[in-house]
Amino acid sequence: MTTLSPENSLSARQSASFILVKRKPPIDKTEWDSFFDENGHLAKSRDFICVNILERGLHPFVRTEAWKFLTGYFSWQSSQDERLTVDSMRRKNYKALCQMYEKIQPLLENLHRNFIETRNNIARDIQKLYDKDPLGNVLIDKKRLEKILLLSYVCNTQAEYQQGFHEMMMLFQLMVEHDHETFWLFQFFLQKTEHSCVINIGVAKNLDMLSTLITFLDPVFAEHLKGKGAGAVQSLFPWFCFCFQRAFKSFDDVWRLWEVLLTGKPCRNFQVLVAYSMLQMVREQVLQESMGGDDILLACNNLIDLDADELISAACVVYAELIQKDGGTALFLCRTHHSQGGPSSVFSDSGTPRLTSFS
C-alpha cells in the first residue's frame, strides 16, 4: 500500500512538474537498452524505470518492447534468452487457441445464440473503424482484427466483448507486428489494469470511487452533482469503457496515458484521478450555468483533443492533494498493488490453452 507521508505528496507534485517542464525527453532506445546488462537482465530497479515512464514517457521506438514488461507479457526478472523462449511459447499458445476455436466454431454457431450475436456486433464495429491515415494509407488489417477480437471474446470469460474493445484492440495492432502479440498484450493489459474498462467488473467501481473522491475533495461540486446534476457522474461510464481513448488528440497521447496506468505510478486506481481531473475542467462552467445532468454530460463529452502530459500532471497533483488531506480515502483509492501474472481465464492450471466462455 501507499505510505501516506509528506514525502509522497512532494514526490507526486515533483512528478507533475517534471511531466510539464519536460526536463528530459522520453526514454529512447539507447537509454532503454542501458537499463539491462549484457545477458538482458534488468540492471536498474523496476521502480526507477516506472517512475521515469510516468514523468517522461516512452519514445515510440521503445514502446513495443517496454509494454511487454509493463503488461507482464515478459517478466522483469527474465534474461534475453528467456524472453525469446516466452515469446515462442506465446506464439504457440495463440496458434493452439486458434486451432481449438476453429474446431468448436460450428458448435458455437449452432448452440449459442450469444455467439452469433456477438460475432455480428464485432463485424459491425470493425467496419465502422476508419482504417486510413491522412495520406490514405491503410493502417490496420480489419480481418485480422476481427479474428483476434472474436478469439478474445470466446477465450476470456472475465471480459466478454463490449463496444469499444475494437478501438482498443486496434491500438494494440498498430503497436506490434504479430497477431499473437496483439492478442496477448490486450489480455495482459486488461488484467494488469484490473479490468478497469470492463463494464461488468471495473467500470461501476470506478464510478463509485469517482463519486467518493468528488465528495471528499470538492463538496460544493458534489452537492450540485447530487442535486441538479443527478446522474451525471454515472453517465460518464464511456470514459472508463474506452479507457479515455476518445478524449485525446492522438494515438500517442492514448498510449502515453495507458503506459502510465500500467506502471501503477503514482498510485493504484490512477484512472479515477484522471477522470476527476477531467471533471474539474468543466466544473466552473457547470456551477456558473447551474447545469443539469444532460448538459453536464454534453460538456464532458466535449472534452476532446486533450494533451496526455497535461492530464497526467493534473491527476498527479490531485493525488498529492489527496495524500495531504486524508488517510483512509487515499488508502482506498491509491493502493499500489497490481495483479501479477497472466490472464488466468485463457489457460488452465497446467498452462494448457482452453476456450472457456461456453463450457
Side-chain angles (χ1 to χ4, degrees):
M1 284 190 179
T2 302
T3 302
L4 301 177
S5 66
E7 290 77 13
N8 275 335
S9 178
L10 177 61
S11 176
R13 292 187 185 278
Q14 287 176 337
S15 292
S17 175
F18 291 162
I19 291 166
L20 291 183
V21 174
K22 294 182 174 63
R23 293 190 178 185
K24 290 184 179 180
I27 299 168
D28 61 16
K29 188 69 168 68
T30 300
E31 185 175 5
W32 177 260
D33 289 343
S34 74
F35 295 159
F36 300 85
D37 64 20
E38 63 274 11
N39 294 318
H41 285 110
L42 203 62
K44 296 284 188 179
S45 73
R46 174 180 173 181
D47 190 69
F48 171 86
I49 295 174
C50 287
V51 169
N52 271 272
I53 292 173
L54 166 68
E55 295 180 350
R56 299 165 54 198
L58 295 165
H59 189 280
F61 292 165
V62 176
R63 187 162 278 137
T64 299
E65 182 176 355
W67 273 52
K68 288 182 178 179
F69 288 92
L70 290 173
T71 58
Y73 184 102
F74 288 148
S75 167
W76 290 95
Q77 286 74 46
S78 62
S79 66
Q80 178 62 29
D81 288 343
E82 288 169 338
R83 291 194 286 275
L84 291 174
T85 300
V86 167
D87 188 68
S88 176
M89 178 194 72
R90 303 234 184 271
R91 186 191 301 269
K92 291 178 181 177
N93 286 336
Y94 175 75
K95 184 177 180 180
L97 287 171
C98 291
Q99 292 171 342
M100 292 171 66
Y101 166 70
E102 289 174 2
K103 290 180 180 179
I104 68 168
Q105 182 179 350
L107 180 65
L108 298 178
E109 291 173 344
N110 291 329
L111 299 181
H112 299 281
R113 183 180 300 176
N114 288 345
F115 171 79
I116 296 176
E117 181 180 352
T118 301
R119 184 174 63 182
N120 291 338
N121 289 338
I122 290 174
R124 185 162 49 248
D125 288 343
I126 290 291
Q127 289 309 310
K128 293 177 183 177
L129 281 176
Y130 189 74
D131 60 349
K132 294 182 174 63
D133 66 14
L135 299 177
N137 300 311
V138 175
L139 292 172
I140 58 171
D141 187 321
K142 288 188 173 182
K143 284 295 184 183
R144 288 168 54 199
L145 191 60
E146 183 176 344
K147 174 185 175 183
I148 297 169
L149 279 166
L150 193 55
L151 186 65
S152 178
Y153 162 65
V154 172
C155 292
N156 195 333
T157 57
Q158 287 186 290
E160 296 185 357
Y161 182 76
Q162 66 185 41
Q163 190 177 35
F165 276 4
H166 64 301
E167 295 183 22
M168 294 179 69
M169 189 76 82
M170 177 186 71
L171 288 186
F172 284 92
Q173 190 184 63
L174 287 171
M175 186 191 302
V176 298
E177 181 179 358
H178 303 291
D179 288 355
H180 76 279
E181 295 172 307
T182 303
F183 175 82
W184 287 117
L185 278 176
F186 183 66
Q187 307 306 318
F188 278 101
F189 177 84
L190 292 178
Q191 176 148 330
K192 191 70 174 180
T193 56
E194 302 178 277
H195 294 86
S196 174
C197 62
V198 180
I199 291 176
N200 61 352
I201 302 178
V203 172
K205 294 178 183 178
N206 286 330
L207 293 170
D208 288 343
M209 285 190 286
L210 178 58
S211 294
T212 300
L213 186 61
I214 298 168
T215 299
F216 182 74
L217 290 181
D218 195 345
V220 173
F221 196 27
E223 280 301 310
H224 180 84
L225 292 174
K226 290 177 182 177
K228 192 169 183 179
V233 172
Q234 295 300 313
S235 297
L236 296 176
F237 66 90
W239 282 359
F240 296 110
C241 289
F242 289 90
C243 211
F244 307 100
Q245 182 175 346
R246 294 181 173 180
F248 293 109
K249 60 185 178 182
S250 71
F251 290 158
D252 280 325
D253 284 278
V254 180
W255 285 318
R256 172 77 174 105
L257 175 63
W258 288 4
E259 64 203 17
V260 169
L261 298 180
L262 288 170
T263 66
K265 302 292 182 182
C267 63
R268 184 182 180 186
N269 297 316
F270 190 61
Q271 72 279 356
V272 179
L273 306 186
V274 169
Y276 177 86
S277 300
M278 290 175 66
L279 261 179
Q280 289 295 299
M281 296 178 187
V282 302
R283 178 189 187 275
E284 293 304 316
Q285 179 187 3
V286 169
L287 293 179
Q288 288 176 5
E289 300 178 15
S290 190
M291 288 182 173
D294 290 342
D295 289 333
I296 295 173
L297 181 59
L298 180 61
C300 290
N301 287 340
N302 286 333
L303 292 174
I304 57 175
D305 295 336
L306 300 182
D307 179 274
D309 280 337
E310 292 178 0
L311 185 57
I312 293 166
S313 178
C316 284
V317 172
V318 174
Y319 172 60
E321 180 183 356
L322 187 61
I323 288 178
Q324 286 186 320
K325 292 188 69 170
D326 178 67
T329 303
L331 285 170
F332 171 65
L333 283 167
C334 304
R335 289 171 293 166
T336 56
H337 172 72
H338 272 269
S339 300
Q340 301 295 324
S344 57
S345 61
V346 182
F347 283 100
S348 66
D349 294 336
S350 64
T352 305
R354 66 183 180 190
L355 299 176
T356 53
S357 283
F358 302 98
S359 57

